[in-house]
Amino acid sequence: MNTKAATDRSLLWTAIKDNRDIFFLMLGIGLICAVVGGGVFYLGFGQWGAMVFGGFFALIGGFFSVYSFIATYSSISYYYEQALLRKHGVEVDGVLTRKTAGCQFHQEYDNNNRPLGEGQYLCNLLVEFEFQFNGQKYSGAYYMNKLETFDKLQEGDPVPLKVLKLDPTAHKVRERRLANMLKGRKPDTPSLVPEEAEISQLM
């Protein structure tokens, strides 16, 4: 994104404020673990047990410290982009080119390696589309939240989008509008998603 031309300081500050608490929490945990682990390693230098424990604790702390920056930056970028789309986005229509469901089966086990319950599928619903904006052709993808709408979609269907004027690569599907457009259509059978699967909410 051309952030120099498109930065909305009030929206950016709101996204930062919404994420700063979790950032400082993760950073604090990481620094505490790093300090404790480093102290144990230093005080117990020469004793393998203390060195291994302290080094492992320090590595965990270092990981949390680095991850706090990466995760927070990713989260701020996502929520800032969504806020920009709500405020500055324009509505355009795209065309569905493909839809795919990525599913993984999750099963928990007890200490004796016996399955707990029946397990569950976790699926993400990806739609791919093309659209025209200012005389140029763009392609995009979006993870949907509603299985019912996803099942009704067919290749070639119009897809209502919201596109950022200054950066058309920032866009999202208007899911509520799409659901209304597909009212009365029966879903494809069989579904690409197993029954009773949980739909993951991806950014």
Side-chain angles (χ1 to χ4, degrees):
M1 180 184 298
N2 187 355
T3 53
K4 185 175 182 180
T7 299
D8 186 315
R9 295 181 184 278
S10 64
L11 296 182
L12 180 59
W13 178 238
T14 299
I16 292 173
K17 287 193 298 183
D18 289 343
N19 286 274
R20 64 184 177 185
D21 289 344
I22 188 65
F23 166 72
F24 285 118
L25 175 62
M26 290 191 297
L27 181 62
I29 292 174
L31 292 177
I32 291 172
C33 289
V35 170
V36 171
V40 171
F41 184 90
Y42 176 79
L43 295 175
F45 189 79
Q47 302 177 20
W48 283 106
M51 292 174 64
V52 170
F53 176 80
F56 179 71
F57 226 66
L59 285 175
I60 292 177
F63 169 79
F64 264 98
S65 298
V66 173
Y67 181 75
S68 66
F69 286 94
I70 297 174
T72 303
Y73 176 79
S74 176
S75 182
I76 289 174
S77 298
Y78 172 78
Y79 286 108
Y80 174 59
E81 182 177 285
Q82 296 304 302
L84 280 176
L85 284 168
R86 285 193 297 270
K87 184 175 181 180
H88 302 292
V90 294
E91 296 176 0
V92 300
D93 286 329
V95 177
L96 183 72
T97 57
R98 188 181 181 213
K99 70 173 187 178
T100 54
C103 297
Q104 291 185 332
F105 184 74
H106 293 267
Q107 176 69 65
E108 295 183 355
Y109 297 88
D110 63 16
N111 294 332
N112 296 317
N113 205 33
R114 291 177 298 194
L116 296 172
E118 297 180 354
Q120 187 176 40
Y121 281 97
L122 180 64
C123 302
N124 55 68
L125 312 176
L126 180 67
V127 293
E128 300 176 40
F129 46 83
E130 294 178 345
F131 63 95
Q132 296 275 346
F133 189 77
N134 285 341
Q136 295 189 34
K137 187 176 182 180
Y138 295 90
S139 60
Y142 185 83
Y143 287 102
M144 298 190 61
N145 298 314
K146 301 295 184 182
L147 175 59
E148 181 180 1
T149 304
F150 177 82
D151 277 344
K152 291 179 180 180
L153 278 171
Q154 299 173 359
E155 290 186 10
D157 279 345
V159 180
L161 307 170
K162 184 162 277 194
V163 176
L164 192 60
K165 290 184 287 187
L166 295 175
D167 181 12
T169 61
H171 47 255
K172 68 175 183 178
V173 174
R174 298 166 56 209
E175 289 199 61
R176 184 176 299 178
R177 170 62 178 160
L178 181 59
N180 289 333
M181 291 170 56
L182 296 174
K183 275 185 177 179
R185 178 187 289 185
K186 294 183 179 180
D188 286 344
T189 53
S191 173
L192 297 175
V193 177
E195 290 187 9
E196 300 184 1
E198 180 179 346
I199 306 304
S200 59
Q201 307 296 310
L202 297 177
M203 290 186 178

